[in-house]
Amino acid sequence: METEKNQSTPQPPPAMEPATRHLQAEAIIHRNVIWALGAGVVPFAIADVIAVTAVQIKLLKELSEHYGVAFREGLAKKLVGSLLVGLGGVGFGLMLGASLAKLIPGVGTALGVVSVPISAGAFTHAIGRVFVMHFESGGTFLDFDPARMREFFRNEFEAAKDKV
């Protein structure tokens, strides 16, 4: 059973033009990608992954508030995890491996400090884009289907790696 802290009561989204609402959602994504880049630079292995995950949950909370969708932290964590696992060993393993590389003095640390932020920013961007599309179509956390969104998520992740 989730506590009050993990849920927020949905509020109707403010009346605004769809284009304006979408631009504001993109600004939320952009701001959180920057936070994810910073979290990825955390010099401690695994702590960086935890920090990035916290940023991604924060992103989903902000997007849910923006769209007036009830936020459930536990469910949001599961959905993010499901999307990341959906990329297969390559996507999630890349970020986890780069994080663990920080344990190796010198070259490993340098590799981790460069590659983790890029992966973190790309993952965060892709997660944001997937949920904006879902919320724009009237979806909620309860009817989100990670399996159906995997291909879109993968495409957004690949495109975001070039942008980030």
Side-chain angles (χ1 to χ4, degrees), residues 17-147:
E17 294 290 321
T20 302
R21 183 179 59 238
H22 188 75
L23 284 173
Q24 289 176 351
E26 289 295 326
I28 291 170
I29 294 170
H30 181 74
R31 183 174 59 249
N32 282 283
V33 165
I34 292 169
W35 277 103
L37 291 169
V41 178
V42 170
F44 306 107
I46 306 302
D48 53 359
V49 175
I50 293 169
V52 169
T53 302
V55 170
Q56 292 167 344
I57 299 307
K58 176 179 148 317
L59 163 70
L60 293 182
K61 184 173 188 335
E62 290 175 10
L63 286 174
S64 69
E65 289 170 356
H66 181 66
Y67 284 99
V69 173
F71 178 74
R72 298 205 167 136
E73 184 176 336
L75 183 55
K77 287 178 183 177
K78 289 176 187 171
L79 294 175
V80 166
S82 181
L83 284 172
L84 295 178
V85 169
L87 284 177
V90 175
F92 186 67
L94 170 73
M95 191 160 87
L96 188 59
S99 174
L100 291 174
K102 291 179 180 179
L103 294 172
I104 303 167
V107 174
T109 303
L111 175 67
V113 168
V114 171
S115 59
V116 172
I118 292 169
S119 297
F123 281 135
T124 303
H125 185 268
I127 288 167
R129 295 293 305 244
V130 164
F131 276 91
V132 164
M133 183 182 78
H134 183 65
F135 292 157
E136 284 281 337
S137 67
T140 68
F141 284 105
L142 296 175
D143 63 7
F144 184 82
D145 182 1

